Amino acid sequence: QEPVLASTSRGKPAVWCRNQRMQPALLAQVVELFDVQELAVIRLAEAEQAFNKGDYRKALPILQEYVANNPDDDLVKVYLGIAKMEIGETPEAREIFSSLATSNSPEIRDFAVWNLALSFLKDGNKEACRKVLQSIPEDSGYYQKAMDLLERLK
């Protein structure tokens, strides 16, 4: 029977054969058989799980490693920026959001600009937040949210 990769109760990858947990020494050998990209996806799933639970500190190094190995994945870069913003690394988060604010993908661009606005709000800079929110175009999926937030900031 082929080994399958599964998550343990701690969210760590484990290899299972015939419903028995493989010993750690054998795990290393089996993991080598997996494509590096498959392992990156598994790690990204760990980051997603931590992120969705609000454990940004746990998600952060996994997201950083993924982005370092997949520099063209702009969506994961936005989530890296959000994780940084949530743990108080707002200047670094803003760098990420700003770099993606000119993306050719409207979805990435709008998501990045929305989070750029939120980063200013998180720091209490309402004026900068307003300015960014006002730059969100009407055809953006974030336009209505931006208008609602602008109204609340009055």
Side-chain angles (χ1 to χ4, degrees):
Q1 181 175 346
E2 291 286 318
V4 292
L5 202 57
S7 292
T8 64
S9 61
R10 293 185 198 153
K12 301 289 184 197
V15 176
W16 296 79
C17 291
R18 298 185 190 145
N19 296 327
Q20 293 185 3
R21 188 160 172 242
M22 187 176 280
Q23 297 300 317
L26 295 176
L27 175 60
Q29 292 174 358
V30 174
V31 167
E32 287 182 49
L33 299 175
F34 287 95
D35 179 68
V36 172
Q37 198 59 22
E38 289 174 357
L39 291 175
V41 169
I42 292 165
R43 293 281 290 152
L44 192 57
E46 287 180 40
E48 178 185 19
Q49 187 177 32
F51 186 98
N52 289 338
K53 288 180 178 178
D55 192 349
Y56 303 107
R57 290 194 186 282
K58 181 177 179 182
L60 186 64
I62 301 169
L63 293 171
Q64 288 171 319
E65 177 186 353
Y66 183 87
V67 167
N69 293 319
N70 300 277
D72 296 330
D73 195 330
D74 290 343
L75 182 59
V76 175
K77 286 181 187 175
V78 176
Y79 283 105
L80 173 62
I82 294 169
K84 285 182 170 287
M85 178 174 63
E86 291 297 332
I87 66 167
E89 296 180 9
T90 344
E92 295 90 344
R94 279 195 200 111
E95 286 179 29
I96 293 169
F97 300 143
S98 295
S99 73
L100 296 171
T102 57
S103 171
N104 291 331
S105 164
E107 293 83 11
I108 297 295
R109 181 183 59 238
D110 295 347
F111 192 29
V113 170
W114 170 251
N115 280 285
L116 179 62
L118 295 181
S119 75
F120 286 115
L121 185 60
K122 187 167 181 78
D123 280 351
N125 188 341
K126 291 180 182 179
E127 189 54 42
C129 177
R130 280 188 200 96
K131 185 176 179 180
V132 174
L133 290 172
Q134 290 167 344
S135 76
I136 295 177
E138 287 185 37
D139 62 347
S140 166
Y142 292 90
Y143 180 76
Q144 190 56 54
K145 284 182 172 184
M147 295 303 104
D148 293 345
L149 185 53
L150 277 169
E151 185 64 31
R152 290 187 1 225
L153 291 174
K154 285 185 178 179

